[in-house]
Amino acid sequence: MKRLLVIACFIYPIIVVVESTPVRILILTEETDEAAEWFRDSLPLAEADFRGLSLSEVTVSVSRDDQEEAVEQVCQALSKGVHLIVDMTWTGWGKSRVMSEEAGVPYISIDVHLTPFIKAADDTLHYIRNATDSVLIFENKKQMEQSLYYLIKHSVLRILVLDGLNKTSAASLLSMRPSPNFYVIIANTQNINNIYKVARELKISDKDDRWHLVFTDFRYGNFNRSLLSVSVAMITLKDAVCCYLLGLDYPCDCPEDTEV
């Protein structure tokens, strides 16, 4: 990244003269995913914090259906010179790791998606509940698709995933034999309220200790507890996480609109 010119004298200490050159970063992201946008926005801030540092980036969108095009784009970027590969795909793209090792370029995988929440739910079901199956309900199709890559690679449970809950999907759940043992909603507080309300109205949530509500925001204090007629498990973020994200010392006042 930098060329060093070292001037050594017999009496005086060594002097190191640093000539800065642009640091070129290759960002890998899923197709139609905005995850890399915040990373690109942070580059000017990094340049301001480290005087003399110059950063440039190139982004490659990885299509799971046609990875050859992405491989070609990565090869082109490497041929022009890359100092760092930042992998922000949903579960890490193995081919990019291999290419980085062959090219001798540092590789970092950054997870900014639902993986920690999915892992928390999966571990709870597997290790605490001794579950063999579960229904996972997400707030939208995109988050459901993100979850599939993690579940296929890591989960030992039989999983049915849904993007939301409506009369049609609820009827399918009620007609399943054998019936699912557990249900999990992974969503923000507002969507958990909406989804669980539908589950109650359609008489799916009528047994104790079957439902697990995984909150992906810090607004879980606004969960409508009047919806509860049976016991449920609630998985929430620690307040210390909010302080950490805001760069504040714990304890701190966590604004409800803090985005994870």
Side-chain angles (χ1 to χ4, degrees), residues 38-163:
W38 70 265
F39 189 89
R40 289 194 295 267
D41 292 342
S42 70
L43 296 183
L45 300 176
E47 291 178 332
D49 289 340
F50 298 93
R51 188 173 301 175
L53 178 64
S54 179
L55 300 170
S56 64
E57 55 82 21
V58 57
T59 301
V60 172
S61 296
V62 179
S63 171
R64 300 281 177 168
D65 298 326
D66 182 14
Q67 298 186 27
E68 294 305 317
E69 182 179 354
V71 169
E72 183 177 347
Q73 292 179 17
V74 171
C75 288
Q76 291 177 355
L78 289 172
S79 67
K80 296 178 181 178
V82 170
H83 301 99
L84 176 66
I85 296 178
V86 178
D87 188 345
M88 303 184 73
T89 56
W90 292 341
T91 57
W93 187 35
K95 290 185 178 180
S96 64
R97 182 186 291 272
V98 173
M99 287 186 284
S100 70
E101 292 175 352
E102 293 176 347
V105 176
Y107 169 92
I108 298 176
S109 180
I110 299 179
D111 191 348
V112 293
H113 302 96
L114 288 180
T115 301
F117 301 101
I118 299 169
K119 187 177 187 305
D122 191 60
D123 287 351
T124 300
L125 292 172
H126 180 56
Y127 294 109
I128 299 178
R129 298 296 192 183
N130 294 318
T132 57
D133 64 83
S134 179
V135 175
L136 266 60
I137 306 172
F138 297 89
E139 57 189 48
N140 55 52
K141 183 178 180 180
K142 182 177 179 180
Q143 292 187 349
M144 181 189 73
E145 291 176 344
Q146 290 177 10
S147 73
L148 290 175
Y149 292 100
Y150 176 86
L151 294 170
I152 290 172
K153 291 179 64 176
H154 301 288
S155 181
V156 298
L157 304 178
R158 296 194 302 272
I159 298 290
L160 173 66
V161 295
L162 300 174
D163 58 328

Side-chain angles (χ1 to χ4, degrees), residues 13 24-25 35 44 71 95 130 132 184 192 206 234 237 254 256:
R24 197 161 182 262
I25 302 174
V71 169
K95 290 185 178 180
N130 294 318
T132 57
V184 179
I192 285 183
D206 57 354
M234 300 174 62
L237 291 159
C254 180
E256 287 191 348

Side-chain angles (χ1 to χ4, degrees), residues 158-197:
R158 296 194 302 272
I159 298 290
L160 173 66
V161 295
L162 300 174
D163 58 328
L165 186 65
N166 52 41
K167 290 184 178 180
T168 301
S169 56
S172 298
L173 293 177
L174 290 171
S175 63
M176 288 181 64
R177 295 295 180 272
S179 300
N181 288 313
F182 295 98
Y183 299 84
V184 179
I185 304 176
I186 301 179
N188 61 36
T189 303
Q190 180 179 350
N191 283 312
I192 285 183
N193 278 329
N194 295 336
I195 294 171
Y196 192 80
K197 181 179 180 181

